[in-house]
Amino acid sequence: MELDQLTTENTVPAGPPEPSAAPTGWRRVIGLGLGFAVLVGVLVTAFAWPPAESAPRDVPVAVVGSAAAADRLERQLAETQPDALELRRAADADAARRLIEDREVYGAIVLGRSGPSQVLTASGGSPVVAQLLAGIAGGFAEPAASAPAVEDVVPLPGDDPRGSAFTAAALPMVLGGMVVGILMSFLVTGVWRRVAGALVAAVAAGGVVTLVAQAWLGALQGSAWANAGAVALIVAAISLTITGLVTLVGPAGIGLGAVVMFLIGNSISGVSSAPELLPTGWGALGQALPAGAGGTLLRSTSYFDGAAAGGPALVLAAWAGAGLALVALGRRVRPAAHHALAR
């Protein structure tokens, strides 16, 4: 009987288990809820505000025609859509096509006796601007004249005629670069080993993305090697920056990198429209960040045979170099930074 009693006392709990910690205070709960609501508002603002304020602002466009016709078009634009287009004179339609192919202008308006007779566009540069330009030129045609003919000098591929696949691939590349930098910081011990891992991931991502987006989906065209290099440079710029920030300031670097690369950079990248359609100043800032520079670079390598690729490539290389500099600085300032964050 005594043995049974002892066994029962050792195996049957006396009552419900005590909680391991006190419940979170209501003030903190409410504060967190309000804080997260503000975060949602910031995210919505960051991604909804640029499109809501989208409008043409000094979009470079060539104009072909007599001096009198070009002056008349400039006056009409100044009255109806001031500062919408930045007109550049071209000797003829062929010269305008060369400007488009070199990415010096988004399109061209060829003027005839009764107004615009032809519109040259480049949907590969921006389908939004191509449509906008055709609409502007059509609005200046004489009432009795026929609508100007539209020629797409640099078209999007037939498998992605609206550029939706290209635009949809931009965000995953940004997130992919962030994930590479974050996971390398958590899983790899040794900061230079993290750098090596990030570079391997960037090169491999270039091949994988090109295989999917070009060979399978047909959203990219041109040189597959050039496209793979562009994607690799995008991923390297973002992942190395994240790795450098984490090495220098610790886990807080992840949040800082996310704000710069995702919250700010992706929302003002202009990939879905064009930098010139964003609010004044924001388009230029977006092109100075990896998401915007990466989108511009990939358009150049895919649709324009590498024309005007030097600027965005230099921006991405600068970000990658800055990431390496942050790694070196962080390794010196925080000697223990070579340990993986998960350890």
Side-chain angles (χ1 to χ4, degrees):
M1 182 66 177
E2 292 179 358
L3 181 61
D4 292 342
Q5 263 185 331
L6 182 60
T7 303
T8 302
E9 290 174 358
N10 289 337
T11 57
V12 179
E18 293 294 327
S20 57
T24 302
W26 283 110
R27 181 177 297 179
R28 178 175 173 80
V29 170
I30 295 173
L32 287 172
L34 294 176
F36 291 149
V38 171
L39 177 60
V40 172
V42 170
L43 289 171
V44 171
T45 301
F47 284 88
W49 173 62
E53 297 295 324
S54 178
R57 297 173 176 86
D58 295 323
V59 178
V61 172
V63 58
V64 178
S66 65
D71 290 340
R72 183 168 59 252
L73 177 62
E74 287 185 352
R75 289 194 299 271
Q76 290 174 328
L77 282 170
E79 293 173 0
T80 58
Q81 300 189 52
D83 301 323
L85 303 182
E86 179 187 316
L87 297 181
R88 302 181 184 180
R89 304 292 175 91
D92 52 35
D94 288 336
R97 290 186 184 91
R98 288 192 294 271
L99 290 175
I100 294 171
E101 292 166 350
D102 291 339
R103 299 209 74 181
E104 294 187 30
V105 297
Y106 279 92
I109 300 175
V110 180
L111 299 173
R113 293 182 178 179
S114 57
S117 61
Q118 186 180 21
V119 182
L120 306 179
T121 64
S123 59
S126 171
V128 177
V129 172
Q131 184 177 4
L132 179 70
L133 184 58
I136 290 177
F140 290 129
E142 294 293 335
S146 58
V150 178
E151 177 188 343
D152 198 344
V153 178
V154 185
L156 287 163
D159 290 332
D160 188 26
R162 291 181 295 276
S164 54
F166 182 95
T167 302
L171 178 58
M173 280 192 286
V174 173
L175 292 177
M178 292 174 55
V179 168
V180 168
I182 292 170
L183 291 184
M184 287 296 171
S185 300
F186 271 96
L187 302 178
V188 176
T189 298
V191 291
W192 295 116
R193 293 174 186 264
R194 295 176 194 168
V195 168
L199 291 175
V200 169
V203 172
V208 171
V209 171
T210 302
L211 184 65
V212 172
Q214 186 161 355
W216 178 23
L217 299 178
L220 301 178
Q221 54 189 23
S223 169
W225 290 105
N227 293 334
V231 174
L233 192 53
I234 295 168
V235 175
I238 296 173
S239 61
L240 290 177
T241 301
I242 296 290
T243 301
L245 288 172
V246 172
T247 304
L248 182 62
V249 302
I254 296 174
L256 180 59
V259 169
V260 174
M261 300 298 175
F262 175 73
L263 186 61
I264 298 176
N266 191 71
S267 61
I268 59 173
S269 65
V271 172
S272 61
S273 56
E276 291 82 0
L277 300 187
L278 295 174
T280 303
W282 290 101
L285 176 60
Q287 292 303 296
L289 297 175
T296 300
L297 175 61
L298 195 55
R299 283 194 186 278
S300 290
T301 59
S302 178
Y303 308 133
F304 293 87
D305 197 26
L314 184 61
V315 169
L316 292 170
W319 277 96
L324 292 175
L326 290 174
V327 168
L329 180 61
R331 185 67 183 86
R332 185 181 182 86
V333 174
R334 300 174 64 244
H338 65 286
H339 295 299
L341 295 182
R343 299 187 178 183

